[in-house]
Amino acid sequence: MHRQRVLARTLGLATAVALAATACGSQKTENTGSASTAPSASAAVTTPESSPSSDDKPAGDPSASPSASASSASPSASPSSSASSSPSASPSVKAVMANGDDSEQVRELQARLKQLKLMSVAPTGFYGSKTTAAVKSFQSRNGLTASGSVDAETWKKIQGLTKKPTADELRPPTVNEVDAPDPRCMTGRVMCISKESRTLAWMIDGKVVSTMDVRFGSENTPTREGVFDVGWKAKEWTSTIYHTPMPYAMFFSGGQAVHYSADFAARGYSGASHGCVNVRDKAKLSKLFDDVKVGDKVVVYW
């Protein structure tokens, strides 16, 4: 009997080690590292939503080019005329900013539009479809030609109704707006991870120390929800199932961990993890990795 108990304990330890080594794979659906389980496979089942870190530029739409938008921005055009239906608008009125521009002035424009609650995402500096829609909405509300481009009159009006953006407004700590903390995050040292806002807040005794954007597993390899503890950490780690790097890994639920993802940094929310909590800001995660201790709490919630 003593020999049987020793054998059982040995098998239990081996199972625990194997579970931790899966590194992001779904415990129910993973297979044993075949080519079909490569990280790119998860992208096919994730949301087609693009990364919120970029203002999507419409593809193949000639009216979306800066020159087309600029030519339709004349204040003398009828308010009922759309940008595409007024090619005869005065060419002497040039847009200050238009679709396709990428500059600090665009970043300021986006921050001011966010003050007016016409944009919900953080400033990116790129003038794309979201910015165009916000500008059109502003112009319509203020009796201006709804061209979607910012001419001198529109820019002056926007400046008059807003204040100069602060540094945090121009470059907020996260692209996504941080969710209200779950009540379980309000005591102790906690990585408070919201699936709703797609953010991680590092909290100590109810106070937010730092925040960062995160993404989760796909429908087939979901990130588990609940209250966990950091079981172990590895500054350099490679998944034994998917053979992908997992720097600054902090394991909290079997093979699932908070870790840096180069794929998330490059592709944003057009990809997904195999269950782990991906972080795209490596510098922030490096600091968090140094602060977090084994045994600290992890709360994953909607």
Side-chain angles (χ1 to χ4, degrees):
M1 288 295 291
H2 174 71
R3 183 176 180 182
Q4 288 177 333
R5 285 197 296 271
V6 170
L7 181 59
R9 283 198 298 270
T10 303
L11 288 172
L13 178 61
T15 302
V17 171
L19 180 65
T22 58
C24 295
S26 168
Q27 303 305 316
K28 293 182 179 179
T29 60
E30 69 192 16
N31 52 33
T32 55
S34 66
S36 63
T37 62
S40 59
S42 67
V45 294
T46 60
T47 173
E49 179 185 5
S50 60
S51 168
S53 65
S54 63
D55 190 359
D56 306 325
K57 183 177 180 181
D61 180 2
S63 67
S65 68
S67 59
S69 298
S71 67
S72 61
S74 168
S76 62
S78 168
S80 62
S81 301
S82 67
S84 61
S85 64
S86 54
S88 60
S90 172
S92 63
V93 179
K94 291 188 66 177
V96 177
M97 289 168 275
N99 197 298
D101 288 349
D102 191 350
S103 68
E104 286 303 301
Q105 189 180 20
V106 171
R107 186 181 294 276
E108 180 182 345
L109 165 67
Q110 292 167 332
R112 289 178 182 271
L113 289 170
K114 192 166 185 185
Q115 288 178 19
L116 295 167
K117 303 192 182 305
L118 292 172
M119 290 193 74
S120 58
V121 297
T124 64
F126 178 73
Y127 199 124
S129 60
K130 293 182 180 72
T131 305
T132 300
V135 169
K136 280 185 176 181
S137 180
F138 176 84
Q139 289 168 329
S140 296
R141 292 181 186 183
N142 289 276
L144 303 169
T145 303
S147 65
S149 302
V150 178
D151 58 19
E153 186 180 5
T154 299
W155 184 226
K156 184 178 180 180
K157 189 79 171 176
I158 290 173
Q159 288 177 307
L161 293 173
T162 57
K163 60 182 178 62
K164 185 174 178 60
T166 64
D168 282 346
E169 285 178 313
L170 291 169
R171 288 180 170 79
T174 60
V175 171
N176 300 324
E177 222 170 290
V178 179
D179 204 358
D182 185 279
R184 296 169 292 181
C185 299
M186 300 308 292
T187 57
R189 299 161 55 86
V190 192
M191 283 194 282
C192 194
I193 302 168
S194 168
K195 284 188 170 183
E196 178 73 22
S197 65
R198 296 186 293 191
T199 56
L200 181 156
W202 169 232
M203 301 180 65
I204 299 178
D205 296 329
K207 294 184 178 179
V208 176
V209 178
S210 64
T211 59
M212 55 204 74
D213 297 319
V214 293
R215 74 175 182 183
F216 305 99
S218 68
E219 184 180 351
N220 290 344
T221 56
T223 303
R224 289 182 280 275
E225 297 149 28
V227 180
F228 311 92
D229 292 328
V230 175
W232 58 290
K233 299 164 51 179
K235 189 172 183 178
E236 297 293 337
W237 186 260
T238 300
S239 168
T240 57
I241 293 283
Y242 304 105
H243 311 295
T244 52
M246 298 169 56
Y248 302 106
M250 293 174 279
F251 289 87
F252 63 87
S253 177
Q256 295 191 350
V258 174
H259 70 85
Y260 171 72
S261 167
D263 181 74
F264 183 25
R267 296 200 298 141
Y269 292 97
S270 61
S273 75
H274 287 89
C276 284
V277 177
N278 288 168
V279 179
R280 61 175 156 198
D281 191 321
K282 196 172 187 179
K284 278 189 178 182
L285 185 60
S286 172
K287 175 67 168 59
L288 178 63
F289 183 88
D290 291 339
D291 291 346
V292 170
K293 300 175 182 178
V294 171
D296 284 345
K297 190 159 59 173
V298 180
V299 177
V300 182
Y301 66 100
W302 275 105

